[in-house]
Every structure is written in C-alpha cells, then in structure tokens.
Amino acid sequence: MSIRYDVESGVATVTLDRPDALNALVASMKADLLAALTRAAEDDAVRAVLVTGAGKAFSAGQDLREHAGNLAAGKGLAGTVRHHYNPIVRTITEMAKPVIAAVNGVAAGAGASLAFACDLRIASENAKFAMAFAAIGLAPDSGASWTLPRLVGPSVAAELLLLGDPVSAERARELGLVSRVVPADELAKSARELAVRLAEGPTRAYAATKRALAFGAAHTLSQSLDLEADLQDACAATADHQAATAAFVAKERPVFHGR
Ligand code: T3D
C-alpha cells in the first residue's frame, strides 16, 4: 500500500507513501488515495484531514514511468485525469470538513495541484512547488487552472504555469500559496496542531464556509448573499452555535462537538 491512513483526535492523516519515487502517483496509489479521502469524508468521527508525503517529497505528481508505458502502449493518459485526479480533487474540495496539506518537500505537477485543492497549506522550509506540466508538453490538470489563479492571481498563475520555474517555500508564502512556512523538523507537529485545532472547531460552520467560498468564486454578490443567508440559517440551528453563544454569554470557553 502506498497510501497510509491514520485517525487520531478527530484528525485523519493521509500519507502519500512511495518515497523512493518522490511519492509520484501510479494508478493503484491514486485509487487508494481516493478511497482514503472518501473514508475521511464519510466518517463523522473525522473532523479534519491532513494530507502529507513520506520522505523528502510531498509528491512529484503523475508517475512518468507509468505514463511513458501508457503512451508506448497507445493508451494515452489511460483515463487518469477523469477517473483518478478529478474525483480526488472533487472529494477534497467538496468534503464537509477542512483539509490541510502539510507540504514536506517538492510538490510538482498534479502533486502541487493536490496541495492547491486543500483548504490550507503549511509548508516546510524545504518545500518547493513546480508547475511541471509544460516542461513535458502538458497543460495544467487536477484543478490547477482554477485553484492557482484564485490563490495567487491570474498574472502570477500564468507565469508559474507557463514557465514552470520552481517556487521556494518562502516565495510561496509571499505569493499566498501557503499560509505558513516552518522549519522542516517542526512541520509534522505544527501541521498536527493546526489540524487538531480545526478538528475541535465548529465542523458544520467550517463546511458552510467551504461551500460559501466555492460558491462565491463562480457567482455574483447577490447570489452569494442569498446562499450566505441560507447557510447562516442552517448554522444558527446547530447545537454547536447554540452552545457557543450560551458559552459566550456565560463567559465560558466554547466546546464544539461538530453537530
Ligand atoms: O497521465 C498523465 O500523465 C496525466 C497527468 C499528469 C499530471 C502531472 O503530474 S504531469 C507532471 C509530472 N511530474 C513531473 O513532471 C515532475 C518530474 N520530476 C521532476 O521534475 C523532479 O524529479 C523533481 C523536481 C520533482 C525533484 O527533483 P529532484 O532533483 O529532487 O529529484 P530527482 O533526482 O529528479 O528524482 C528522484 C527520483 O524520483 C528519481 O528516481 P531514480 O532515478 O533515483 O530511480 C526520479 O526518476 C524519481 N521521480 C521524480 N519524479 C518522478 C519520478 N519518477 C516517476 N515519476 C515522476 N513524476
């Protein structure tokens, strides 16, 4: 198995575990990754998800040896964009709980796209991002044409995608591509603290926030105002909101149960 799945304290950690090939993604690994993400999405005991890589890389994207074999066999992309990458990205972006990428090293091609699809990115100082698609004559996939301009703006996104030059962790932070950069030996601890904090938060309000942000990216202010009103009605009816409001009035610390 090249995907590890662990749950602790409400956090599901999904680890890409093929370090000898920089966690490059082969078909079975993509199927296992989708299964792990789906399991995390469907498990009510999981309230935040952490995606990271084993070894020195986050992920070098599509395994190019497998890809070369498919091309040689006349299979083209072998359906992997539609059957693997797109469902993985939809599962991350549509799951009703926050997903964090702990980017421990290089994230290239679809590996970078995977990180961009997550709600938050925290990076090791050793991390770098490489939009490696054009260097092998491909266009962006796994959502990068949608996520990247929203993270860094259309001009920087075009430059990163057309030139493909690697972006250091520090530059990624300056560009808004990652929220935080931490020393390499602190990444696991910092990412876990962030994930546990989110797992202890108002899960249903986080789900509504994800939905509102995704909706707002493709709708007018007026349409977004309507959706916000609907989502706020739903949040106001949650046990977490009612208990947190009572806790505020009582000058107590709120405790959220994700309900
Ligand atoms: O089906 C489809 O293709 C469609 C979907 C496409 C989506 C995509 O992801 S396209 C982009 C694919 N990824 C790349 O083009 C990145 C290729 N890799 C690199 O450019 C570099 O390896 C890195 C910048 C990621 C890291 O460089 P570096 O110097 O730290 O490591 P390295 O020495 O190049 O690689 C270490 C090993 O990992 C090496 O194996 P070896 O020679 O020691 O046995 C290398 O071949 C292997 N490796 C790295 N990337 C891949 C890979 N093996 C297979 N596929 C890879 N993508």
Side-chain angles (χ1 to χ4, degrees):
M1 293 287 282
S2 43
I3 296 293
R4 278 191 278 126
Y5 183 85
D6 308 285
V7 179
E8 197 187 322
S9 307
V11 176
T13 302
V14 178
T15 306
L16 309 172
D17 192 9
R18 204 175 159 239
D20 292 346
L22 303 187
N23 302 318
L25 297 153
V26 291
S28 60
M29 187 173 176
K30 287 178 272 185
D32 290 346
L33 175 58
L34 179 59
L37 292 167
T38 303
R39 187 173 163 190
E42 291 175 353
D43 184 350
D44 287 340
V46 170
R47 291 169 60 194
V49 180
L50 194 54
V51 180
T52 193
K56 68 173 191 171
F58 180 73
S59 171
Q62 171 62 37
D63 186 293
L64 293 180
R65 292 192 177 89
E66 178 187 72
H67 178 61
N70 286 332
L71 289 181
K75 293 184 190 165
L77 301 180
T80 198
V81 174
R82 286 187 183 79
H83 298 309
H84 294 123
Y85 290 116
N86 288 356
I88 286 168
V89 169
R90 287 195 176 104
T91 302
I92 291 171
T93 54
E94 291 171 13
M95 86 165 71
K97 51 193 82 172
V99 185
I100 301 161
V103 185
N104 52 303
V106 67
S113 305
L114 180 62
F116 301 158
C118 296
D119 299 302
L120 296 175
R121 283 149 296 284
I122 175 168
S124 140
E125 62 196 349
N126 296 336
K128 67 178 173 184
F129 295 89
M131 303 318 295
F133 303 98
I136 54 167
L138 288 178
D141 66 20
S142 308
S145 65
W146 194 94
T147 52
L148 194 55
R150 283 168 173 79
L151 290 168
V152 300
S155 174
V156 174
E159 182 181 329
L160 297 182
L161 288 166
L162 293 173
L163 300 182
D165 293 338
V167 177
S168 69
E170 198 43 48
R171 180 74 182 132
R173 196 189 54 74
E174 287 166 8
L175 291 173
L177 211 43
V178 303
S179 325
R180 302 182 194 179
V181 178
V182 297
D185 60 357
E186 290 176 21
L187 178 69
K189 181 169 175 284
S190 299
R192 177 143 194 88
E193 282 171 2
L194 186 59
V196 169
R197 176 177 163 184
L198 289 166
E200 291 174 350
T203 311
R204 291 180 62 183
Y206 291 154
T209 303
K210 278 184 76 158
R211 215 178 131 203
L213 288 171
F215 184 89
H219 291 83
T220 63
L221 171 62
S222 180
Q223 290 166 324
S224 297
L225 288 169
D226 287 339
L227 180 75
E228 283 180 359
D230 291 345
L231 292 172
Q232 207 67 305
D233 281 342
C235 287
T238 64
D240 274 347
H241 169 67
Q242 290 172 21
T245 305
F248 178 84
V249 173
K251 298 190 182 298
E252 292 168 356
R253 194 172 165 272
V255 177
F256 297 105
H257 297 284
R259 294 191 292 268

